[in-house]
Amino acid sequence: MKSRQTYRIWINRICSGLVCLFCLLALVPFFAVVWSLLSHGLELFHTNLFDQLFLNYSDEMVRQVEETSVSANILYGMGGSLLIVIIGLIPAVPLGILFTLYVFENRFHGFASLIYYLGASISGIPSVIIGMIAYLWIVEPLNGFPALAGGLSLSIMMLPIISHYTLHVLNILPVGLKESAMALGASYTDTMLRIVLPSMKNGLFAGILMTVSRMIAQSVPLIIIVMGTSAIQGDKSLSHAALPVLIWNFFNCPDMIHRMWAASLTLFLMVLVLTVFAKCMSYPLQNKKRISL
Amino acid sequence: MNSEYILELKDLSVSYSPDKYAVKKVSASIAPNIVTSIIGPSGCGKTTLLRSINRLHELYPSTQVRGEILLKGENIQKLPSVEVRRRIGMVFQQPNVFPQMSIFENVISGYQLNYIVLSKQDKMNVVEESLVAAALWEEVKDILYKKPTTLSIEQQQCLCIARAIALKPEILLMDNFTFSLDSERTDRMEELIYQMKEEQTIIVTTQNLSHAARISDYTIFMEEGRLIEFGVTSNIFLKPANKRTEQYITNQMQ
């Protein structure tokens, strides 16, 4: 009997050890990225990172595309990134929330489930295709407006993420809340707009912040739009106007590689701050229950 | 059309899925200003019956209703659901305060949601009257503008009662509302119901038979969705006409 107990204790210890080991292994990529960014980026952080410099491209292909030099001020990049994300949020937030409210309220109908899965499948579309679509929809017919195209591409990518967080918040909302409002004689619209949506405020705000933190570092659709805009329209306004694109531009200049690390560290810190802030917001006071976003 | 009864149920059947009736052919007439308890084992259709009175069961898809519910002689199916719910208030088993509103706003939320404009003084009067009636005024009078989430579950349930009675409904439905209350507050609620019936007709569902015996004038006993017996509370508890009622009460009281 005792030997069986000892055997179980040892099996427990081995399994616990393996779980801890794999947890640590899962954290290795995160710490490797943080270490690279800090070791390369931190020493340059105090230098004149926000100075107006111009990029000189060594890569022949890129030089052909970028005939004139582009500003290397990462303040432009930070502001531009925020602007593009805000352009993306303007249609994505109301559409994502209303779409999910519709799906949640009609969850027993097959049609609502079908369109929810169709909406969620947007997250499976490669970002390069979304970048090309935004380019073809905006830049080509309007002969410019790359920031708008960038915002649109991010907006498409934001929809399933906002929808996911909205559904999550709706699922933890007490069922009786809606019934209580309706039992007071409130109409369905008033119940949704004046009781249900305001009760979701904290969770939704946290979800939007998480969406921003994921989207602010998106590079592929923006690079596609920049390449297209520069090559065909000769417009370079977006080349320095988004941090991920700027990092890509730094990467193409051998003498600017140190700035690439500093800009990457800046972007990483922006994402980190947004994520931590969103996590703090996701403690809804009303339930004392945590939404794990 | 005038009627001596405020509420009449005529052959009422309610189902949540086709041909599976949770309430089967219930008929009862309820006079104004009395307290009626609905008792019966779990799953006997008490809550479904209660929710069908203010048409709240319609929030679930594929519900079917047969028979009629008359509110002062008017068929509630022919009235707008919003009007029915304004005239027939409800308190739920679990308190559901509106977390984004203050205690004050919670009490007058019924007026706000129905776009009934009150003057500042009227608002204050409604809040004070309702909270006094719900036995919560003394505890919250200094924190009226704080969020209700800071209150205990019992206080939140009292706030929900205050919110429901603030609109002065003709009938107040209370679904197992003492579930979240301790014995002391349950006693206070019993006193409150006794006072409230001067102005309102009250229908409660409860699992607690002694609670039902103390507060109600009439009692409905239900089993498997059917109304087994309906009569004066003292008769139901002391001289039940039906053997099943007697059996249930005897088992529960032991």
Side-chain angles (χ1 to χ4, degrees):
Chain A
M1 191 69 189
K2 199 174 178 185
S3 66
R4 171 114 183 114
Q5 202 176 5
T6 319
Y7 167 75
R8 287 176 64 175
I9 288 170
W10 272 104
I11 287 289
N12 183 40
R13 280 180 188 162
I14 291 167
C15 289
S16 304
L18 281 173
V19 168
C20 289
L21 178 71
F22 285 120
C23 281
L24 289 174
L25 280 177
L27 287 172
V28 165
F30 173 77
F31 284 112
V33 170
V34 173
W35 175 249
S36 296
L37 287 175
L38 286 177
S39 58
H40 291 96
L42 208 55
E43 56 178 309
L44 297 151
F45 224 64
H46 62 279
T47 59
N48 45 356
L49 198 61
F50 303 121
D51 280 2
Q52 188 77 12
L53 286 177
F54 292 97
L55 303 173
N56 297 307
Y57 293 98
S58 65
D59 187 293
E60 197 52 40
M61 186 198 82
V62 180
R63 191 184 292 157
Q64 278 173 8
V65 171
E66 305 279 345
E67 280 175 352
T68 54
S69 51
V70 165
S71 165
N73 187 343
I74 70 160
L75 265 184
Y76 285 162
M78 287 165 76
S81 281
L82 280 175
L83 183 73
I84 291 170
V85 168
I86 289 166
I87 292 172
L89 282 174
I90 292 168
V93 169
L95 269 177
I97 293 172
L98 292 177
F99 165 78
T100 317
L101 266 183
Y102 169 78
V103 168
F104 184 79
E105 286 298 301
N106 297 283
R107 58 194 176 281
F108 300 109
H109 297 140
F111 178 69
S113 305
L114 177 73
I115 65 161
Y116 179 71
Y117 286 114
L118 285 178
S121 68
I122 293 175
S123 58
I125 302 174
S127 50
V128 62
I129 294 177
I130 292 175
M132 283 195 299
I133 290 171
Y135 174 77
L136 291 173
W137 280 359
I138 305 270
V139 182
E140 236 185 35
L142 300 179
N143 202 21
F145 301 102
L148 191 63
L152 178 76
S153 61
L154 293 192
S155 180
I156 296 170
M157 293 169 76
M158 280 174 188
L159 267 175
I161 307 174
I162 290 180
S163 176
H164 166 82
Y165 287 128
T166 310
L167 195 65
H168 193 78
V169 178
L170 277 168
N171 274 325
I172 64 154
L173 217 58
V175 183
L177 200 65
K178 186 178 148 194
E179 289 186 347
S180 300
M182 296 197 89
L184 287 169
S187 67
Y188 179 76
T189 316
D190 281 325
T191 303
M192 297 314 285
L193 295 180
R194 298 172 71 182
I195 301 294
V196 175
L197 272 179
S199 308
M200 294 164 67
K201 198 173 58 185
N202 278 10
L204 283 183
F205 189 62
I208 291 167
L209 280 182
M210 287 298 282
T211 311
V212 170
S213 72
R214 281 196 192 181
M215 285 299 135
I216 207 156
Q218 270 295 336
S219 51
V220 177
L222 299 184
I223 289 170
I224 293 291
I225 293 163
V226 168
M227 289 283 281
T229 319
S230 313
I232 298 156
Q233 264 87 19
D235 178 1
K236 283 170 195 58
S237 55
L238 199 68
S239 302
H240 61 269
L243 210 44
V245 181
L246 199 59
I247 292 168
W248 179 70
N249 277 324
F250 286 146
F251 179 70
N252 287 310
C253 300
D255 53 335
M256 289 283 175
I257 208 84
H258 58 288
R259 284 185 169 251
M260 182 195 81
W261 287 111
S264 303
L265 183 62
T266 313
L267 188 59
F268 172 75
L269 290 176
M270 280 172 81
V271 172
L272 194 70
V273 167
L274 279 168
T275 310
V276 170
F277 195 54
K279 287 279 175 194
C280 296
M281 286 292 299
S282 64
Y283 284 91
L285 286 171
Q286 64 264 37
N287 296 340
K288 301 267 187 278
K289 193 163 77 177
R290 189 181 169 185
I291 313 171
S292 55
L293 292 174
Chain B
M1 194 175 9
N2 284 320
S3 169
E4 60 175 305
Y5 297 111
I6 190 166
L7 189 76
E8 289 171 85
L9 313 177
K10 291 185 174 175
D11 283 334
L12 183 74
S13 300
V14 185
S15 77
Y16 286 120
S17 55
D19 300 325
K20 279 191 176 175
Y21 283 89
V23 171
K24 298 165 192 165
K25 294 202 166 187
V26 169
S27 293
S29 299
I30 293 167
N33 301 97
I34 61 158
V35 180
T36 308
S37 291
I38 306 174
I39 57 167
S42 295
C44 70
K46 302 187 292 280
T47 301
T48 306
L49 178 64
L50 206 68
R51 290 168 70 92
S52 63
I53 295 173
N54 68 347
R55 291 178 56 183
L56 213 59
H57 65 290
E58 290 174 7
L59 297 184
Y60 291 110
S62 51
T63 30
Q64 285 182 331
V65 180
R66 285 186 190 168
E68 282 184 336
I69 301 174
L70 305 181
L71 174 64
K72 287 188 173 170
E74 288 179 284
N75 188 342
I76 63 160
Q77 291 296 337
K78 291 182 181 156
L79 294 171
S81 61
V82 171
E83 187 192 327
V84 172
R85 291 176 194 145
R86 198 164 46 222
R87 291 171 64 184
I88 307 177
M90 188 162 186
V91 178
F92 297 84
Q93 182 170 324
Q94 297 285 346
N96 276 303
V97 293
F98 300 141
Q100 79 282 11
M101 294 181 179
S102 65
I103 295 169
F104 184 92
E105 286 169 327
N106 257 277
V107 179
I108 52 160
S109 59
Y111 290 90
Q112 289 174 342
L113 288 167
N114 286 292
Y115 296 96
I116 301 168
V117 182
L118 295 178
S119 69
K120 210 173 173 183
Q121 190 56 46
D122 285 346
K123 277 183 194 171
M124 198 60 227
N125 292 343
V126 168
V127 170
E128 187 174 344
E129 275 172 29
S130 311
L131 287 172
V132 168
L136 193 65
W137 174 251
E138 285 303 319
E139 291 160 63
V140 300
K141 65 181 179 188
D142 299 322
I143 52 164
L144 284 177
Y145 298 98
K146 287 201 172 172
K147 297 279 184 229
T149 41
T150 54
L151 302 176
S152 70
I153 293 292
E154 289 150 0
Q155 288 173 320
Q156 287 188 20
Q157 184 64 307
C158 291
L159 179 59
C160 290
I161 294 170
R163 186 176 66 188
I165 59 178
L167 263 180
K168 299 189 170 50
E170 294 162 37
I171 300 175
L172 186 63
L173 311 172
M174 300 175 115
D175 182 16
N176 206 4
F177 74 105
T178 52
F179 183 79
S180 323
L181 303 181
D182 59 19
S183 58
E184 192 190 332
R185 215 174 276 265
T186 304
D187 292 346
R188 282 165 71 185
M189 280 299 139
E190 287 178 8
E191 282 172 34
L192 166 69
I193 288 175
Y194 206 74
Q195 290 163 16
M196 274 174 11
K197 76 173 182 181
E198 286 174 18
E199 289 184 21
Q200 272 131 355
T201 306
I202 298 166
I203 305 174
V204 298
T205 66
T206 180
Q207 298 278 9
N208 184 338
L209 290 197
S210 48
H211 173 61
R214 283 195 299 272
I215 61 167
S216 56
D217 303 299
Y218 281 79
T219 298
I220 292 173
F221 171 62
M222 286 181 74
E223 204 175 55
E224 292 173 0
R226 294 185 192 282
L227 186 149
I228 306 296
E229 199 169 342
F230 174 38
V232 178
T233 300
S234 55
N235 286 348
I236 295 272
F237 279 86
L238 301 173
K239 296 177 281 182
N242 193 297
K243 221 167 173 64
R244 278 148 79 183
T245 316
E246 188 181 352
Q247 210 171 13
Y248 175 75
I249 290 172
T250 315
N251 288 343
Q252 291 291 308
M253 287 298 199
Q254 274 171 2

